[in-house]
Amino acid sequence: MIFNPINMDNWPRKPYFDHYLNQVRCTYSVTANIDITQLRLEVKSKGMKMYPVLIHMLTTVVNQHREFRTCFDLDGRLGFWDRMSPSFTIFHDDDQTFSSIWTLYSEDFDVFYNRYLDDMSRYGNVKGFMTKPNEPPNTFSISSIPWVSFTGFNLNIYNEATYLLPIFTIGKFFEQDGKILLPLSGQFHHAVCDGYHAGVLYNELQLRADTCEHWLLHR
């Protein structure tokens, strides 16, 4: 993992960053439905788990755009990671608590899927907030609320709003007009990405869902 500092003097986004971080500090949420009709068919036919498939799909799109990898490092420098890995929540049925686990990302879906299964085997039944040790700094957050097909979702983060990475929340998929739709909420910081960038992300997620047979080919 490589952190690339941003030279503010040569950064075209500098006036927008300054405005939305220092003048009118602003985060925003976008919730949209992803059509996963074809994706669900492929996942079911291959006997796979849907959650890691969605995690891989999200991480792949995040890694294609610098805006979603831009943050402050531990030394307070602004920059962007060359690659992100997902940190995701899992639910414990017996006591209704959750834990957060991270899995090292790979573009190769098979590699990532097997890493996910290995992490779940090792840490899936371990109780606690963050149960897999040594989480690297280049992770972003994904959570799931599989009990609610929500139409909107908003996080309120009280850390002076300087957390710049996106946070995603997956809802319960539902059927409508013969399609299977998945609510997906993204929390973004306006200092590093605008509505355009969020729109690109959702459109690319839909494209990956529609063409899933290509990247799920080997399972």
Side-chain angles (χ1 to χ4, degrees):
M1 60 181 179
I2 299 173
F3 186 78
N4 304 276
I6 292 175
N7 184 341
M8 294 290 286
D9 294 333
N10 299 324
W11 192 33
R13 191 169 179 84
K14 179 181 178 180
Y16 306 93
F17 178 83
D18 287 340
H19 180 77
Y20 288 118
L21 188 76
N22 300 317
Q23 304 301 318
V24 183
R25 193 163 290 180
C26 177
T27 65
Y28 65 97
S29 297
V30 176
T31 301
N33 292 326
I34 306 296
D35 183 349
I36 61 166
T37 308
Q38 183 61 37
L39 180 64
R40 186 165 180 258
L41 287 173
E42 289 288 332
V43 168
K44 289 183 68 175
S45 69
K46 298 177 185 300
M48 295 186 299
K49 299 177 181 296
M50 177 63 83
Y51 195 30
V53 172
L54 296 174
I55 291 171
H56 186 271
M57 191 168 77
L58 266 169
T59 308
T60 298
V61 175
V62 163
N63 278 323
Q64 290 172 350
H65 300 280
R66 182 183 298 182
E67 292 80 11
F68 305 121
R69 294 180 276 116
T70 300
C71 62
F72 294 107
D73 70 359
L74 295 177
D75 296 321
R77 298 178 301 169
L78 180 69
F80 59 93
W81 294 104
D82 62 330
R83 177 170 295 192
M84 303 290 291
S85 289
S87 176
F88 51 92
T89 59
I90 60 169
F91 187 70
H92 303 295
D93 290 310
D94 57 346
D95 62 0
Q96 293 80 55
T97 61
F98 72 92
S99 298
S100 181
I101 295 177
W102 64 276
T103 292
L104 183 65
Y105 174 72
S106 171
E107 292 182 13
D108 187 306
F109 174 74
D110 278 357
V111 172
F112 176 80
Y113 191 80
N114 287 325
R115 287 174 179 171
Y116 170 91
L117 294 178
D118 182 64
D119 284 335
M120 289 300 295
S121 175
R122 292 171 179 263
Y123 306 105
N125 293 319
V126 180
K127 300 295 178 63
F129 182 60
M130 302 180 70
T131 53
K132 181 181 177 182
N134 303 318
E135 179 172 330
N138 61 325
T139 60
F140 70 101
S141 298
I142 300 172
S143 62
S144 177
I145 306 178
W147 310 278
V148 183
S149 300
F150 53 71
T151 57
F153 186 87
N154 184 65
L155 292 169
N156 300 294
I157 301 173
Y158 296 97
N159 69 338
E160 300 184 351
T162 57
Y163 184 82
L164 304 180
L165 294 173
I167 302 174
F168 296 99
T169 305
I170 300 169
K172 177 183 179 181
F173 61 78
F174 61 98
E175 185 173 353
Q176 179 176 294
D177 299 329
K179 298 178 180 179
I180 304 298
L181 302 178
L182 179 80
L184 175 68
S185 175
Q187 185 91 0
F188 306 98
H189 203 300
H190 213 339
V192 293
C193 65
D194 306 320
Y196 167 79
H197 304 105
V200 168
L201 179 138
Y202 278 92
N203 288 333
E204 291 189 4
L205 286 172
Q206 185 61 68
L207 180 61
R208 286 195 68 79
D210 292 340
T211 60
C212 59
E213 67 274 10
H214 298 301
W215 51 278
L216 294 177
L217 184 65
H218 301 297
R219 285 207 72 82

